[in-house]
Amino acid sequence: MTGKALDGYREVLDRLESESRRRSVRGDASEEMTDMSSNDYLGLGARGSEFDAELSALCPDAGFTSSASRLLAGRQSHYRMLESYLEEQYGRPALLFNSGYHANVGCASALAIPGTLFVADKAIHASVLDGFAVGKADFRRFTHNDMDALRRILDRHAAGYERVIVVVESIYSMDGDEAPLQELAAIKREYPGLLLYLDEAHGVGVRGSRGLGLAEELGVADDFDLIVGTFGKALASAGAFVIASPLLIDFLVNTARSFIFSTALPPVCAARSLLMMRKAAGMEEERRHLARLADMLRDGLHRMGLSTGNSTSQIVPLIVGDAARTLRISAKLREAGFDALAIRRPTVAAGTERIRFSLNSSLSESNISTLLAVLKTILES
Ligand SMILES: Cc1ncc(COP(=O)(O)O)c(C=O)c1O
């Protein structure tokens, strides 16, 4: 029995291997490598211990463990400080979660009460889909960024539900394109009972005059009933937050299982997130520089006849369309000193395998020129 019990798992790994889809936890990137794979969009993470003294001064008593879930933890001050800052910035209450994954699983599953239909973009993050599964939610998906397809689903199905929750990301993590947030805000006004749920994981820190995200930049943040932001990407910390009305925050505190049944973030993470949010608010020049670098990379790739899909952000995919070739290009880039990862199925659809260039504001224009020259050589060889 024991001998055979594991065979099924081995077969899955063998199949993944044969399809060039087997993953492994990578090793450390060497110090000399140029980072084009992390989500450290403002380069704050790469600044190492530079902020340690400021962090100790801001929250000298922030410890490494809360020793209990948020509902039970005896010390709440660091979480409250961060939530108050977020509330000041967004103008609505905030609730911390342990990660963006926890936030999406918790919110999507909790909100799935009877009478609720979710309508999510086809490219929505796995954490939202997992939330639907946990909450046994009724959900439908529309073609990526296609507002006509969304309207068709709403016209056909919305009337059968008490509420419909449309879920989108502001900047899509694998395509680097943007959801039409202003059009979504207009659609909300057309359909009574419609709620909007926005995942700003890749927008927070990077967009908006205070780094609050794409919805801030476009002046539509208040139209989104739920905004999820994460601290582990541009904000170089860990954890996540949800912005919503007092009623919805209260509802989540009472029903979001990933909030209730998990030990709260280390207080020191909340303190670090607060410090990073304050820093990011003033990093307008870094945001502009990052946008210029992304334009430069896209222009260069297009001049070589390559596709970057509909990217308009700091995430620039080079669509290759074949898993094995994508892996080879990524390996050659690494040999040349560029850390840029191959993205394959199931993260992206078969035939759209890609190198995901994830830029950060500490890169220079000369890094981008060198990358383009190296890529040209790799693709011609
Ligand atoms: C769009 C999106 N939402 C949520 C998450 C999850 O966030 P976290 O890494 O904080 O769990 C990610 C990160 O992978 C993401 O890309």
Side-chain angles (χ1 to χ4, degrees):
M1 164 78 176
T2 350
K4 286 200 169 295
L6 296 176
D7 285 357
Y9 303 121
R10 206 168 290 117
E11 279 162 25
V12 171
L13 288 173
D14 290 346
R15 195 180 64 239
L16 290 172
E17 181 76 41
S18 73
E19 294 171 356
S20 301
R21 294 202 292 132
R22 186 163 175 176
R23 307 175 205 239
S24 60
V25 177
R26 58 171 296 175
D28 281 353
S30 96
E31 291 284 306
E32 291 86 56
M33 284 254 230
T34 306
D35 171 24
M36 294 205 169
S37 71
S38 80
N39 302 312
D40 184 20
Y41 302 128
L42 295 173
L44 285 165
R47 288 162 72 174
S49 54
E50 188 183 323
F51 305 110
D52 288 2
E54 236 177 309
L55 184 59
S56 310
L58 176 69
C59 298
D61 54 346
F64 289 102
T65 180
S66 61
S67 305
S69 80
R70 184 67 196 284
L71 290 174
L72 303 179
R75 301 211 47 206
Q76 296 278 340
S77 58
H78 301 100
Y79 309 125
R80 294 261 187 251
M81 275 168 75
L82 179 55
E83 285 170 343
S84 301
Y85 179 82
L86 289 162
E87 179 165 0
E88 254 169 51
Q89 297 299 307
Y90 284 92
R92 277 179 291 167
L95 184 65
L96 301 181
F97 280 77
N98 288 356
S99 69
Y101 186 88
H102 282 76
N104 280 332
V105 168
C107 293
S109 57
L111 293 167
I113 58 173
T116 307
L117 172 68
F118 283 96
V119 186
D121 189 285
K122 266 265 165 63
I124 204 73
H125 193 258
S127 50
V128 174
L129 299 177
D130 290 358
F132 293 163
V134 171
K136 298 188 174 55
D138 270 0
F139 71 94
R140 293 181 176 270
R141 297 173 74 181
F142 59 94
T143 311
H144 178 51
N145 266 348
D146 182 341
M147 293 299 104
D148 291 334
L150 168 61
R151 279 196 168 85
R152 279 196 296 278
I153 293 179
L154 296 176
D155 289 339
R156 210 166 299 152
H157 301 283
Y161 291 86
E162 286 163 41
R163 70 197 67 76
V164 177
I165 306 179
V166 174
V167 194
V168 297
E169 285 172 35
S170 59
I171 295 172
Y172 283 90
S173 55
M174 294 299 139
D175 292 301
D177 56 352
E178 296 168 23
L181 299 190
Q182 285 159 321
E183 192 171 351
L184 282 156
I187 289 176
K188 179 179 171 167
R189 287 188 278 280
E190 289 167 33
Y191 293 85
L194 193 74
L195 302 174
L196 294 178
Y197 178 144
L198 177 63
D199 183 339
E200 283 267 25
H202 299 275
V204 168
V206 179
R207 303 295 285 267
S209 61
R210 286 169 293 154
L212 300 181
L214 183 61
E216 182 208 3
E217 179 179 307
L218 299 175
V220 292
D222 290 345
D223 292 296
F224 287 83
D225 300 277
L226 250 97
I227 298 177
V228 172
T230 57
F231 294 117
K233 303 186 193 298
L235 297 170
S237 181
F241 62 89
V242 175
I243 302 293
S245 65
L247 171 89
L248 283 181
I249 295 290
D250 193 10
F251 175 79
L252 292 171
V253 166
N254 282 279
T255 58
R257 296 170 66 82
S258 62
F259 174 82
I260 299 168
F261 297 111
S262 185
T263 299
L265 277 171
V268 72
C269 279
R272 161 104 181 171
S273 299
L274 176 60
L275 183 63
M276 293 298 109
M277 281 233 62
R278 287 184 179 165
K279 296 226 170 280
M283 295 179 81
E284 232 346 59
E285 184 40 43
E286 283 81 354
R287 283 189 270 279
R288 271 196 291 272
H289 176 61
L290 182 57
R292 278 195 300 272
L293 293 177
D295 282 342
M296 187 181 165
L297 177 56
R298 271 188 296 269
D299 285 352
L301 293 172
H302 295 164
R303 270 201 298 275
M304 286 190 248
L306 300 167
S307 167
T308 58
N310 294 317
S311 160
T312 48
S313 71
Q314 76 280 10
I315 299 165
V316 181
L318 162 60
I319 313 290
V320 178
D322 168 83
R325 183 153 183 257
T326 309
L327 283 173
R328 277 197 303 277
I329 296 173
S330 170
K332 287 197 172 152
L333 281 171
R334 209 163 312 127
E335 277 166 28
F338 288 96
D339 188 24
L341 299 184
I343 310 288
R344 294 158 287 159
R345 217 159 44 97
T347 309
V348 294
T352 71
E353 289 83 358
R354 65 199 61 190
I355 305 287
R356 176 180 184 263
F357 293 108
S358 182
L359 304 184
N360 68 74
S361 64
S362 44
L363 295 168
S364 64
E365 293 186 0
S366 98
N367 289 136
I368 303 293
S369 316
T370 313
L371 169 67
L372 287 165
V374 163
L375 256 176
K376 194 161 188 292
T377 314
I378 292 174
L379 295 171
E380 283 170 0
S381 66

